[in-house]
Amino acid sequence: MSESKDVLSEEVIRSLLKNDNETVVLSEIDSTNEEIKRRVRDEKKKDFVIISDMQTGGKGRRGRGFFSPAGTGIYMSILFCPDDKNASDLILVTTAAAVAVAHAIGEVCGKDAKIKWVNDVYLNDRKICGILTESVNDPETGRIKYVICGIGINVKKPKEIPDDIKDIIGYIYDDTNDINASRNEIAAAVINQLQLYYDRLPDRSFLKEYKERSMVIGKSISFGSPAKIAGVPDDDWEKAKAVDIDDEGGLVVECLDGSVRTLHTGEITLRLDS
Ligand code: BTN
């Protein structure tokens, strides 16, 4: 596919969507998650998607940034207004999004993406997608008012990659000759798939595919709290075998002493051991 054909387009993406979610494509923004929050506050939006060709302040988990150069990725945020959903279902939006991205890449690009618990999508052992889900509570009821699911997908290899991530991140297409789908097609497929899983959050049906795509289940792992392990020796990581994903998206592990624990997102850094 030529570069000129791979321009993100509101019109093309909307024509590929199965619902009539309002979709806006921007050429540049600080962060699509932040832009959704601003628009939801000012314009009372519902069912809204923002996609940007680049981000100047892309946000990752744990206060990190997310490398978001122009012309090579998809940076998008999807707004859900979960009037009819419980908090216990909404905690699975990130999990559902990881499956949606991996599924869409299979469907549109014909590539078998894997998921590293909890929400990173990998191809050929390199991270090609990160997901940052944020929620806003209604101050009066305390219930979740909005969920903003931010998804960053590395589609093509940019010319320059920062040194600190160049050995970690990958791309759907490493080789430009290999490109068989546009960013518009990939973005629309992810939105369609995530909407489907979102509607079915209570029945957890997407967890079956999550487990099939897991690059962690059945593997030896090490885990630790991010604060504890920062810069400390290997011995301080706890070793275990990953055995399952539970209905809340927790990772069930069997520790060396035979005890079984469930790890929850946010409190754990996980490493795959060979
Ligand atoms: C991570 O891997 O740490 C999560 C990265 C999430 C990046 C996406 S890109 C679109 C959306 N806007 C942001 O600022 N972040 C998310």
Side-chain angles (χ1 to χ4, degrees):
M1 168 161 317
S2 70
E3 287 295 313
S4 59
K5 281 203 178 137
D6 196 24
V7 173
L8 283 174
S9 152
E10 239 164 68
E11 204 186 335
V12 176
I13 294 173
R14 279 188 193 177
S15 73
L16 296 168
L17 290 183
K18 292 189 177 143
N19 58 25
D20 54 5
N21 283 3
E22 187 181 343
T23 303
V24 168
V25 170
L26 306 171
S27 53
E28 178 181 328
I29 195 72
D30 53 352
S31 151
T32 54
N33 273 26
E34 292 305 311
E35 181 63 7
I36 283 250
K37 285 189 220 161
R38 288 189 287 266
R39 294 202 190 196
V40 91
R41 206 170 43 223
D42 300 344
E43 302 166 38
K44 307 274 179 287
K45 293 283 185 196
K46 277 199 135 184
D47 301 332
F48 189 45
V49 182
I50 294 186
I51 306 174
S52 186
D53 187 55
M54 72 166 288
Q55 297 184 117
T56 53
K59 299 194 312 174
R61 278 175 291 144
R62 299 201 188 111
R64 287 191 290 247
F66 188 77
F67 179 52
S68 312
T72 59
I74 298 167
Y75 315 108
M76 68 180 172
S77 298
I78 304 172
L79 173 73
F80 295 107
C81 303
D83 306 327
D84 57 342
K85 296 232 169 9
N86 295 321
S88 59
D89 292 332
L90 293 170
I91 52 166
L92 282 165
V93 167
T94 309
T95 310
V99 189
V101 170
H103 185 100
I105 290 171
E107 185 181 275
V108 175
C109 315
K111 298 195 178 232
D112 188 24
K114 302 284 182 209
I115 302 168
K116 182 177 170 206
W117 187 81
V118 54
N119 57 7
D120 291 335
V121 180
Y122 274 66
L123 196 61
N124 303 326
D125 290 327
R126 286 187 168 236
K127 176 171 165 174
I128 57 161
C129 167
I131 301 167
L132 175 69
T133 303
E134 301 181 270
S135 58
V136 176
N137 281 3
D138 184 327
E140 279 166 28
T141 63
R143 283 177 64 91
I144 296 173
K145 197 170 176 190
Y146 307 113
V147 173
I148 296 147
C149 182
I151 301 174
I153 307 174
N154 308 327
V155 179
K156 296 177 287 186
K157 199 170 182 174
K159 291 205 168 62
E160 283 171 27
I161 307 167
D163 280 349
D164 57 331
I165 54 171
K166 76 171 187 303
D167 294 332
I168 302 166
I169 62 171
Y171 304 89
I172 298 179
Y173 302 114
D174 267 330
D175 179 351
T176 44
N177 295 320
D178 198 23
I179 297 176
N180 61 355
S182 66
R183 288 184 293 159
N184 293 322
E185 290 168 308
I186 300 166
V190 171
I191 299 166
N192 284 333
Q193 201 62 31
L194 180 53
Q195 187 66 54
L196 190 79
Y197 293 151
Y198 179 79
D199 294 340
R200 293 185 195 159
L201 275 181
D203 77 15
R204 311 284 196 263
S205 49
F206 55 89
L207 283 179
K208 181 172 180 290
E209 185 172 348
Y210 184 99
K211 292 179 199 185
E212 285 162 5
R213 292 189 181 275
S214 171
M215 56 192 282
V216 170
I217 294 176
K219 300 273 170 57
S220 297
I221 58 154
S222 300
F223 64 90
S225 87
K228 189 179 151 208
I229 59 162
V232 300
D234 265 16
D235 293 354
D236 285 21
W237 291 73
E238 188 156 346
K239 292 192 182 308
K241 185 175 176 192
V243 289
D244 201 6
I245 303 287
D246 74 4
D247 274 0
E248 273 69 55
L251 181 68
V252 184
V253 300
E254 201 177 287
C255 300
L256 292 184
D257 63 3
S259 61
V260 174
R261 274 184 63 180
T262 302
L263 310 181
H264 295 283
T265 177
E267 50 189 66
I268 291 295
T269 289
L270 182 134
R271 188 172 84 174
L272 278 170
D273 295 337
S274 46

